[in-house]
Amino acid sequence: MSLMALCCCLGFTACGDDDDDFIDDPDKVFVNDGTITETDNQLVLKCTAKATQGSKSAKVNLTWTCDFENERCVKSAHVWTYSTEAQAKAYYEGMTSDPEETRNFTLVGKTVVEDSTEDFMDWEKDRVRHEMEEIKNGKWFDF
């Protein structure tokens, strides 16, 4: 659950002219276009989140993939795709500047890839599915 709370504070950035203005306390966050795809050994959540703060708004696409062996998570990755490279860079820099952060982040253009295996290692598939449903339904974005 702490990862979900951290994800709420993504540091959405404005889509306007000033890419350095963060939406650090969104008035509203909407999740739409959410889908969960399931196979025997994998769950994949895809959704779009849009945050607003006053007249500013920002959007990020999330793909969260978990691989399973014997119904237990063995690999997890979040892929955050922002509207601009500046937004992705701001999120990446915010996450990698925390000395207590143990997850591995990679920045490629407008995309930040987060290896979140450590956070979800050994979770049961049903528990991961439940967390994905919560995100898809926007519940972890409630402030």
Side-chain angles (χ1 to χ4, degrees):
M1 293 308 285
S2 63
L3 176 64
M4 296 307 148
L6 173 64
C7 293
C8 291
C9 303
L10 289 176
F12 285 103
T13 58
C15 291
D17 295 333
D18 188 359
D19 287 328
D20 295 328
D21 288 342
F22 284 95
I23 296 179
D24 55 7
D25 187 18
D27 300 323
K28 295 181 181 177
V29 179
F30 302 96
V31 177
N32 58 28
D33 302 328
T35 61
I36 298 173
T37 306
E38 182 171 352
T39 63
D40 289 340
N41 297 317
Q42 190 176 70
L43 285 170
V44 179
L45 166 70
K46 291 185 179 186
C47 66
T48 300
K50 181 178 179 184
T52 60
Q53 183 181 40
S55 63
K56 296 187 276 185
S57 67
K59 182 177 85 169
V60 63
N61 294 315
L62 166 64
T63 301
W64 176 19
T65 305
C66 288
D67 295 333
F68 298 87
E69 289 180 10
N70 299 318
E71 298 294 307
R72 298 282 184 171
C73 184
V74 294
K75 184 177 179 185
S76 177
H78 290 78
V79 178
W80 308 97
T81 304
Y82 288 84
S83 299
T84 68
E85 288 185 21
Q87 292 171 347
K89 184 177 179 184
Y91 175 63
Y92 173 81
E93 288 175 351
M95 295 307 293
T96 58
S97 67
D98 182 355
E100 295 183 22
E101 181 56 62
T102 59
R103 289 170 285 161
N104 184 21
F105 293 86
T106 305
L107 173 65
V108 180
K110 298 188 290 186
T111 302
V112 177
V113 179
E114 169 191 355
D115 181 347
S116 54
T117 300
E118 183 177 315
D119 295 314
F120 298 98
M121 179 61 83
D122 210 33
W123 278 34
E124 292 179 353
K125 192 174 189 181
D126 287 342
R127 183 176 177 195
V128 173
R129 185 184 306 104
H130 175 77
E131 292 296 319
M132 288 183 173
E133 287 287 342
E134 293 285 300
I135 294 169
K136 179 182 143 190
N137 295 325
K139 292 185 180 174
W140 65 278
F141 284 109
D142 290 343
F143 288 91

